[in-house]
Amino acid sequence: MTAATERPTRPRQMYIGGQWCDAADGSTMVSLDPATEEPIGTVPIAAQADVDRAVAAAAAAAPEWGDRPWPERAAALRALAERIDAAAEELAALDTADAGLPINGSRGDVRSAADEIRYFAGLGGEAKGATLPSTPAQLAMSQREPYGVVGRIVPFNHPFKFAAGKCAAPLMAGNAVVLKPAEHTSLSALRFAELAAGLLPPGVLNVVTGPGRVGAALVEHPRVERIAFTGSVPTGRAVLRGAADHIKHVTLELGGKNPMIVFPDADPRRAAAGAVAGMNLRRSMGQSCQSNSRILVHRSIRETFLAELVEQVNALTVGNPHDEATDLGPLAFREHYERVLRYVALGVEQGARLVAGGRRPLGLDRGHYLQPTVFADVTQDMTIATDEIFGPVMAVLDWQDEDEMVELANAVDYGLTANIWTDDLHRAHRTARRLQAGTVWVNGTGRKPLGTPFGGYKHSGLGTESSLDELLSYTRLKSVVVNLRQ
């Protein structure tokens, strides 16, 4: 009936310079299973001294790692991906216990991380320069060099996928990494370090754990020249401020309040299925920056679409995330669960019509569970139409005029993704050009081919990930001009 359900219970240590260690001051925090609200382990809370040691270890290891021929770095990353494959079921169960992700979603995350590592291993030779237009007296060329030490801060919604997958590009580019996972979901990042031990030289990968102040210490550290952060817009702003004094290269993959646009010629049932899939409910309970949480449906098919959507949402199973039959597990931690519940209450208070979910499922008295929720009759002045809720909550708005719809779609501070449902190719391309979003799907569900660039407009971020652009962003371009003897 269920996948592996063994819960991690042993205390964990941080990984710094190839060694396992406690926090300098002995501080720890408890990891809680969001399905049971019971402890499943402890992890250290890094002190400033721990961050300093991790950065020093990375700085010491970076030159030798960066000087290795890229095929050697690629071979190490491919071997790491093989280890991930071999430990896939254990890693999936670990994220399911620590983050509440349904076991099938966790398995998908582990596969995705291994695929991303292999993808960047294959791109290593593309971190190259060029021969530039020269003169008889001068030869000009460019070359790419790693930054040295990269700080990588990842969120709670896909713990292993981001911890492992988002280290691939900086490592392949020749950098050493200090990884800081989310405080509520650190266990699989530490397991990732165990898998990397012996493949990556000591200091090339370091993992420090703890709350936001640990990430802030990493961002502000003068020897960390490159920072990449995935998370919320407010924290992204704090990262930019913290990096400003040292003029660091920063990339940010932030939030989204992403529109799904349903044209009158779309099939309502298929579009409703696309809305459910695009919300990433089965993968992460809607705790996804690219979830299509704003659904803009043409008035002529609104009621038909809404009926299909409610039927499909109500058919989803909420329960024990280790159970193979479960579609949605709990939200990741109590503070976030209570935040999502406040948005549900605010939607009702501001006059939206609750047509599905919005409450704890019957029989689940413990854990951070919430039924998948749909609001109808939502207007743009409502908070649930503009704020990123980051949970299983969909807001359905309607529209009549195409220009009005585009204005509505763009009327938020975010610009990460958008989704268009229509059978008219001309309409699809015309609309895609007008949307302020980094990625636009047409009749899609949020999936994209490996290597597709991913980044946001407006407050949704800076820079591009998951592509060659990301690999190159972890290098600096140097021009070399050779004066030739005449």
Side-chain angles (χ1 to χ4, degrees), residues 97-388:
D98 199 23
L101 302 180
I103 186 64
N104 290 312
S106 292
R107 288 177 181 136
D109 277 1
V110 174
R111 288 193 300 270
S112 177
D115 287 346
E116 193 159 9
I117 290 170
R118 290 188 176 95
Y119 169 75
F120 280 109
L123 282 184
E126 295 304 310
K128 59 190 178 183
T131 302
L132 306 172
S134 304
T135 71
Q138 291 182 313
L139 174 65
M141 66 191 75
S142 64
Q143 59 192 43
R144 292 191 173 272
E145 299 177 350
Y147 278 88
V149 181
V150 170
R152 195 67 177 89
I153 304 172
V154 296
F156 66 83
N157 54 328
H158 296 284
F160 186 79
K161 172 181 166 62
F162 287 141
K166 294 308 178 186
C167 286
L171 290 172
M172 191 60 239
N175 300 281
V177 174
V178 181
L179 171 66
K180 194 278 184 190
E183 61 181 294
H184 297 95
T185 55
S186 298
L187 299 182
S188 62
L190 295 170
R191 183 69 179 105
F192 172 56
E194 290 180 338
L195 294 173
L199 293 176
L200 303 180
V204 170
L205 175 66
N206 309 272
V207 182
V208 294
T209 54
R213 61 179 171 82
V214 179
L218 184 59
V219 168
E220 295 166 8
H221 200 288
R223 299 184 73 183
V224 180
E225 297 191 66
R226 176 75 169 86
I227 293 289
F229 169 77
T230 303
S232 71
V233 170
T235 307
R237 292 192 184 101
V239 169
L240 280 177
R241 288 191 291 267
D245 283 348
H246 296 285
I247 319 295
K248 299 187 181 188
H249 181 173
V250 176
T251 56
L252 304 172
E253 199 272 273
L254 305 178
K257 190 66 175 177
N258 309 300
M260 173 177 166
I261 298 159
V262 184
F263 279 95
D265 66 324
D267 178 88
R269 187 167 187 80
R270 287 185 62 241
V276 172
M279 273 295 294
N280 294 307
L281 295 173
R282 295 183 177 92
R283 192 75 172 258
S284 64
M285 290 71 71
Q287 297 169 133
S288 172
C289 59
Q290 69 180 41
S291 291
N292 45 225
S293 57
R294 274 194 311 151
I295 304 173
L296 281 52
V297 59
H298 192 271
R299 202 162 297 157
S300 65
I301 63 168
R302 174 187 57 192
E303 295 307 318
T304 305
F305 171 84
L306 194 59
E308 293 284 357
L309 180 62
V310 169
E311 178 184 343
Q312 294 185 38
V313 163
N314 286 339
L316 296 173
T317 301
V318 183
N320 176 7
H322 289 275
D323 194 315
E324 301 277 356
T326 292
D327 294 310
L328 282 80
L331 298 183
F333 55 96
R334 173 156 292 280
E335 296 89 342
H336 181 58
Y337 174 63
E338 292 175 347
R339 175 181 178 272
V340 174
L341 289 179
R342 286 195 294 272
Y343 274 110
V344 173
L346 194 57
V348 174
E349 179 184 322
Q350 293 182 345
R353 179 163 54 101
L354 182 64
V355 295
R359 57 185 61 87
R360 176 184 289 275
L362 293 175
L364 294 174
D365 299 326
R366 299 183 65 189
H368 310 317
Y369 290 102
L370 176 65
Q371 292 175 332
T373 300
V374 179
F375 280 102
D377 302 337
V378 177
T379 55
Q380 186 59 29
D381 58 337
M382 296 178 182
T383 306
I384 60 170
T386 58
D387 285 16
E388 183 183 36

